[in-house]
Amino acid sequence: MSKLNSALLDKAVTDILAFAAGEDVHVNGEDKKGKKRNFTETVECQITLKNYDPVRDKRFSGTFKLPTVPRPGLKCCVLGNAAHCEQADRIGVDHMSVEDLKKLNKNKKLVKKLAKRYDFFMASDNMIKQIPRLLGPGLTKAGKFPTLIASGDDMQEKIDEVKATIKFQMKKVMCLNVAVGNVTMDHKEIVVNTQLAANFLASLLKKQWQNIGQIFVKTTMGPSIQIYF
């Protein structure tokens, strides 16, 4: 059950979208002059935990697929067999074959550069086992080990699924940050994504909502607005 106040969330989303569109808004007790940026701003959810000990309590990790893709601009590269490379070509997605990966010669700098160039990777089932041997631990270190794509999978569908998936992982800090939308999305879509993301995080926590201290929403360059106290 969501403990988010829908009226508060509704108003917060209205304000952050208005600010991003260049309108003046009254937030956190003051008037702020909005500014339209020349890039698509992401809508983020910032969450602080409470009554939680990152050292002693069990760490958690979980992924959840949102109904609307929050960051459609994420760049993907397919590490594929011949059939998958051909498929990637047809839908305009960058791809690399075994031969291309061999050319990197396990060079740490080149693998690091490759990991930096893309937001995520997908790999054919018959190639995924070869990746550590071909590239070393570079992609794993960058937190970008490829997602498996089987021979019968619809590649576009699989890519969209990864783009729509958010991940919560407890590290040593008490703050979590997750993308729940972007400023081109519909108001309702952002509200639904935010509610689902918060509910999912609560389900991962030992004491659920009692472990959540505060939740804020904001756009990349906009002010933070608190939606949970």
Side-chain angles (χ1 to χ4, degrees):
M1 178 61 197
S2 184
K3 295 260 180 103
L4 289 183
N5 179 315
S6 19
L8 259 184
L9 174 57
D10 220 49
K11 176 150 179 19
V13 172
T14 302
D15 286 345
I16 61 172
L17 290 179
F19 184 89
E23 296 167 29
D24 294 351
V25 293
H26 186 76
V27 293
N28 307 329
E30 49 185 297
D31 292 320
K32 290 192 181 286
K33 196 167 173 51
K35 186 175 180 183
K36 192 166 170 35
R37 309 284 166 172
N38 55 3
F39 68 95
T40 301
E41 292 183 67
T42 299
V43 176
E44 296 165 7
C45 207
Q46 297 172 329
I47 301 141
T48 16
L49 302 179
K50 66 174 184 182
N51 307 328
Y52 200 91
D53 185 336
V55 179
R56 284 171 48 206
D57 284 333
K58 189 169 173 276
R59 296 219 180 154
F60 59 83
S61 172
T63 56
F64 182 78
K65 183 175 178 272
L66 294 171
T68 313
V69 174
R71 292 191 292 171
L74 291 181
K75 279 191 81 178
C76 168
C77 179
V78 172
L79 312 176
N81 53 30
H84 278 149
C85 283
E86 201 181 303
Q87 214 180 325
D89 213 34
R90 277 203 305 272
I91 58 171
V93 171
D94 290 358
H95 51 85
M96 292 177 86
S97 64
V98 171
E99 294 312 311
D100 296 327
L101 297 181
K102 279 181 182 166
K103 283 178 198 160
L104 297 177
N105 208 11
K106 264 194 183 174
N107 180 317
K108 281 183 187 169
K109 273 188 181 166
L110 293 177
V111 174
K112 204 173 178 182
K113 217 171 163 184
L114 173 70
K116 249 188 166 164
R117 200 180 317 147
Y118 297 99
D119 295 296
F120 67 98
F121 294 85
M122 308 206 78
S124 306
D125 38 10
N126 57 347
M127 265 183 75
I128 208 150
K129 286 177 185 158
Q130 301 181 55
I131 297 208
R133 188 167 54 79
L134 292 167
L135 297 178
L139 293 186
T140 311
K141 274 186 184 166
K144 292 181 183 175
F145 192 77
T147 301
L148 173 72
I149 178 160
S151 48
D153 287 343
D154 178 317
M155 190 177 284
Q156 188 62 63
E157 219 171 84
K158 201 85 176 159
I159 289 172
D160 289 342
E161 191 180 306
V162 174
K163 285 183 180 179
T165 302
I166 55 167
K167 182 175 186 176
F168 284 114
Q169 190 170 12
M170 182 64 193
K171 300 227 169 119
K172 285 177 184 166
V173 289
M174 298 283 278
C175 301
L176 298 159
N177 202 343
V178 71
V180 288
N182 65 75
V183 294
T184 64
M185 276 166 62
D186 193 56
H187 176 282
K188 180 99 172 66
E189 291 172 334
I190 297 172
V191 167
V192 171
N193 272 7
T194 306
Q195 281 173 328
L196 291 172
N199 290 353
F200 176 66
L201 173 63
S203 75
L204 293 175
L205 298 165
K206 197 162 137 191
K207 293 181 181 163
Q208 305 211 330
W209 284 91
Q210 289 173 329
N211 282 133
I212 295 177
Q214 300 163 318
I215 302 178
F216 294 84
V217 285
K218 74 183 290 295
T219 56
T220 311
M221 309 298 285
S224 297
I225 301 178
Q226 194 164 356
I227 55 167
Y228 183 76
F229 298 82

